[in-house]
């Protein structure tokens, strides 16, 4: 009898540089734990970042900005991501690099403004009439018990067939309803990948569909880790429910850059799926701000200031810095976090020297947090975390050797050697990485310091 192992259909998460960062790793009293949430070391910087998180939650950080300053490879980007993790997924986090503003098509200030608006959220609360059960999107959840599109001959005279209507059965604890839906909803069902047994809700007015998850009645199926299981909805299938939608101001800008039918929030939201787009002007943004402020005053919407993270901030020039001086203190502004590894250097495009390449008048508005170089023990712990995240097996001797490489070259270079070392180990018939594997890959790949030294020794062989 032939027996084959069936691989899980769960999508593997792409392992990025900061995948292991899950928060700031702080105790309830705000003190940094030595090793927590993917962080090792940088205790003072993490505690300072924790206070910033508390100020953001208490809405006391408006009009202020933060600067992470430290040598390369000391966790500045990781700290910004840690702040984002602590604030939660409902708070917008918009990362960008200083060099992104330089484009031949878009003005520098326009790029900054767009990212500012991406980092400002708007939480809209509306009572909507929905159909909820085991299935799609609405103001209440529904279980799909039946899903069948009815086909007719194409009216265009082609050989294909078109959907005339969709029949869907939705189930809750109280009963089941069969709905006959407009054919346009079929595309929304396909987009949400709705199948029999899914909990969904459908908005009665707009026909918008949302897949909430898989009904927990199907929790005995194979591959349990692939799905999020949710309970069967209570109450009737057809009901009214408060729906909370989270959008950003940039979403509203983009939606209203197209022709629209109305000025209310529903009209603003309804434009987001249309493809044609025109330029987003200052006048348009001002009109959107008026509508948003009105709905905030009426209690329909709530402003959620997020975080704009600008890495390599020294790449910006005086025009950008002048814009930031004004934008940071605007009434509609996110919390801005800068990061740089520069010391005292010229402000880009000028002969003026300044700390971190940032003009003094903007520096005066910043709260500065220093990051320190990692010690040998901290580097080994970080490398062990990275090996665990990448599901690699490595012994203590090899970790210590890799830590020495990190001290001599850089932590980033040491982390980058893990994956090729695992490939070499597999080629040698082993699952675990040993010191010989690391020695081999270390001889194959140069770090930045070794490459620079080699260039100095062999400068006559290169074109300069």
């Amino acid at each position: 009898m032939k027996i084959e192992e069936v691989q899980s259909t769960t999508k593997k998460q792409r392992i990025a540089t900061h995948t292991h960062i899950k928060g700031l790793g702080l105790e309830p009293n705000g003190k940094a734990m030595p090793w927590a949430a993917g962080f090792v070391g940088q205790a003072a910087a993490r505690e300072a970042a924790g206070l910033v998180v508390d100020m953001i939650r208490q809405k006391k950080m408006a009009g202020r900005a933060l600067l992470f300053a430290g040598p390369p490879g000391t966790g500045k980007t990781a700290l910004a991501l840690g702040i984002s993790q602590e604030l939660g997924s409902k708070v917008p986090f918009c990362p960008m690099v200083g060099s992104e503003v330089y484009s031949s098509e878009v003005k520098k200030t326009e790029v900054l403004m767009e990212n500012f608006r991406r980092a400002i959220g708007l939480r809209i609360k509306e009572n909507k009439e929905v159909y909820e059960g085991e299935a799609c999107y609405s103001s209440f959840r529904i279980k799909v018990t039946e899903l069948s599109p009815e086909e007719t001959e194409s009216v265009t005279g082609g050989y294909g067939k078109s959907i005339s209507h969709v029949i869907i059965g939705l189930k809750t604890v109280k009963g089941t309803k069969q709905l006959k839906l407009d054919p346009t909803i079929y595309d929304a069902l396909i987009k949400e990948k709705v199948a029999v047994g899914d909990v969904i809700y459908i908005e009665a007015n707009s026909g918008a569909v949302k897949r909430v998850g898989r009904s927990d009645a199907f929790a005995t199926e194979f591959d349990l880790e692939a799905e999020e299981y949710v309970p069967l909805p209570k109450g009737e299938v057809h009901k009214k429910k408060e729906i909370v939608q989270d959008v950003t101001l940039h979403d509203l800008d983009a939606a209203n850059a197209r022709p629209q039918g109305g000025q209310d929030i529903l009209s603003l939201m309804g434009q987001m799926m249309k493809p044609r787009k025109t330029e987003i002007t200052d006048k348009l943004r001002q009109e959107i701000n008026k509508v948003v402020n009105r709905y905030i005053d009426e209690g329909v919407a709530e402003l959620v200031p997020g975080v704009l993270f600008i890495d390599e901030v020294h790449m910006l020039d005086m025009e950008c810095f002048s814009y930031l001086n004004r934008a940071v203190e605007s009434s509609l502004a996110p919390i801005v976090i800068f990061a740089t590894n520069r010391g005292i250097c010229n402000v880009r495009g000028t002969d003026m020297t300044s700390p971190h390449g940032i003009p003094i008048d903007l520096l005066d508005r910043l709260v500065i947090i220093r990051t320190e170089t990692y010690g040998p023990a901290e580097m080994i712990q970080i490398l062990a975390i990275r090996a665990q995240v990448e599901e690699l097996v490595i012994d203590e001797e090899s970790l210590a050797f890799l830590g020495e490489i990190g001290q001599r070259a850089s932590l980033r270079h040491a982390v980058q050697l893990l994956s090729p070392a695992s490939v070499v180990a597999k080629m040698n018939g082993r699952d675990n990485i040993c010191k010989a594997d690391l020695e081999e890959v270390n001889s194959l790949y140069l770090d930045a310091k070794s490459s620079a030294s080699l260039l100095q020794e062999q400068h006559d062989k290169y074109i300069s």
Side-chain angles (χ1 to χ4, degrees):
M1 180 185 291
K2 185 178 180 181
I3 299 176
E4 294 183 3
E5 183 179 346
V6 179
Q7 291 188 351
S8 171
T9 58
T10 307
K11 291 182 180 179
K12 289 190 175 180
Q13 182 186 17
R14 179 181 175 271
I15 299 173
T17 307
H18 298 100
T19 300
H20 60 287
I21 299 297
K22 306 300 181 186
L24 291 172
L26 302 175
E27 295 177 0
N29 61 3
K31 296 295 181 183
M33 291 181 272
W35 181 4
F39 262 109
V40 175
Q42 304 295 351
R46 285 156 57 199
E47 289 173 7
L51 288 175
V52 170
V53 170
D54 290 339
M55 285 192 291
I56 293 173
R57 286 172 176 163
Q58 296 171 24
K59 299 183 179 180
K60 295 180 179 178
M61 193 70 186
R64 303 184 189 182
L66 183 67
L67 172 65
F68 289 122
T74 53
K76 297 181 292 295
T77 304
L79 283 166
L81 292 173
I83 289 176
S84 171
Q85 295 278 8
E86 293 286 347
L87 291 173
S89 59
K90 295 297 184 183
V91 177
F93 180 80
C94 178
M96 65 172 289
V97 181
S99 56
E100 286 182 29
V101 302
Y102 302 105
S103 167
S104 59
E105 298 177 354
V106 185
K107 293 185 296 184
K108 290 176 282 190
T109 53
E110 175 63 25
V111 175
L112 286 172
M113 170 60 82
E114 183 175 308
N115 282 285
F116 259 74
R117 309 270 293 180
R118 287 182 194 275
I120 303 172
L122 191 68
R123 187 164 295 146
I124 305 165
K125 298 179 181 179
E126 295 176 289
N127 287 316
K128 291 188 177 181
E129 183 181 350
V130 293
Y131 292 89
E132 180 186 41
E134 237 174 65
C136 37
Y137 176 81
S138 173
S139 302
F140 40 75
R141 300 169 188 165
I142 306 162
K143 174 180 176 181
V144 178
T145 54
E146 178 185 349
L147 177 58
S148 54
E150 297 290 331
E151 296 181 340
T152 59
E153 295 296 329
S154 176
V155 295
T156 59
Y159 291 101
K161 292 185 177 181
S162 62
I163 306 297
S164 63
H165 59 271
V166 179
I167 296 174
I168 187 168
L170 299 178
K171 178 182 177 182
T172 66
V173 173
K174 279 202 169 183
T176 304
K177 269 188 183 289
Q178 189 179 69
L179 306 177
K180 185 177 180 180
L181 305 175
D182 189 86
T184 56
I185 296 180
Y186 183 68
D187 291 335
L189 293 171
I190 296 300
K191 184 179 179 181
E192 288 286 319
K193 299 179 180 178
V194 174
V196 172
D198 290 345
V199 172
I200 66 170
Y201 67 89
I202 305 172
E203 289 186 10
N205 294 330
S206 66
V209 178
K210 174 67 176 178
R211 182 181 184 274
V212 180
R214 192 78 173 149
S215 171
D216 56 8
F218 291 79
T220 56
E221 291 180 342
F222 298 107
D223 203 16
L224 299 183
E225 73 278 9
E227 290 284 355
E228 179 183 353
Y229 290 92
V230 293
L232 191 67
K234 299 177 181 179
E236 299 291 342
V237 170
H238 186 197
K239 58 186 174 184
K240 285 194 173 182
K241 185 176 181 179
E242 183 181 72
I243 296 295
V244 178
Q245 294 174 301
D246 289 292
V247 296
T248 67
L249 294 188
H250 175 72
D251 293 333
L252 300 180
D253 294 341
N256 284 270
R258 315 177 191 103
Q260 62 182 39
Q263 289 294 327
D264 60 347
I265 290 291
L266 284 175
S267 297
L268 302 182
M269 296 288 295
Q271 300 297 322
M272 291 185 184
M273 300 304 293
K274 297 184 180 178
R276 280 173 32 200
K277 181 179 177 180
T278 58
E279 183 183 0
I280 300 172
T281 63
D282 287 338
K283 183 179 179 181
L284 175 64
R285 288 193 175 110
Q286 289 172 8
E287 291 299 319
I288 291 173
N289 289 348
K290 288 180 183 177
V291 175
V292 167
N293 286 329
R294 187 173 79 242
Y295 274 81
I296 291 173
D297 293 339
E298 293 173 359
V300 176
E302 175 190 359
L303 201 66
V304 184
V307 175
L308 172 61
F309 175 55
I310 306 179
D311 206 355
E312 306 293 339
V313 67
H314 54 267
M315 293 297 294
L316 301 179
D317 60 13
M318 286 300 293
E319 182 182 353
C320 297
F321 286 128
S322 298
Y323 173 82
L324 288 172
N325 272 328
R326 178 178 64 87
V328 164
E329 296 180 349
S330 167
S331 59
L332 288 177
I335 291 83
V336 184
I337 300 178
F338 301 121
T340 181
N341 54 25
R342 294 297 194 268
I344 296 176
C345 60
N346 285 354
V347 177
R348 183 184 172 106
T350 71
D351 295 328
M352 179 178 66
T353 59
S354 182
H356 312 300
I358 302 173
I360 297 295
D361 54 344
L362 180 57
L363 270 177
D364 194 42
R365 290 175 166 85
L366 306 181
V367 178
I368 302 175
I369 297 178
R370 296 281 178 187
T371 56
E372 305 293 338
T373 305
Y374 291 107
E378 292 172 338
M379 274 197 182
I380 291 172
Q381 281 186 314
I382 292 169
L383 290 166
I385 291 172
R386 289 300 305 177
Q388 184 180 10
V389 168
E390 297 183 28
E391 298 180 350
L392 304 177
V393 181
I394 183 170
D395 56 47
E396 291 186 6
E397 181 188 9
S398 302
L399 273 176
F401 177 69
L402 200 57
E404 292 174 8
I405 295 175
Q407 284 288 305
R408 186 176 66 252
S410 70
L411 175 60
R412 285 177 177 150
H413 180 68
V415 170
Q416 288 170 350
L417 294 181
L418 279 170
S419 293
S422 69
V423 175
V424 170
K426 284 184 172 61
M427 291 171 62
N428 293 327
R430 286 178 283 99
D431 289 330
N432 62 303
I433 299 172
C434 67
K435 186 178 178 181
D437 302 325
L438 293 169
E439 289 173 340
E440 182 176 345
V441 295
N442 189 43
S443 66
L444 293 173
Y445 302 109
L446 293 177
D447 62 274
K449 292 178 182 177
S450 300
S451 180
S453 177
L454 192 64
L455 284 175
Q456 286 182 340
E457 294 173 8
Q458 302 179 2
H459 64 89
D460 55 328
K461 298 180 181 179
Y462 291 86
I463 298 174
S464 60

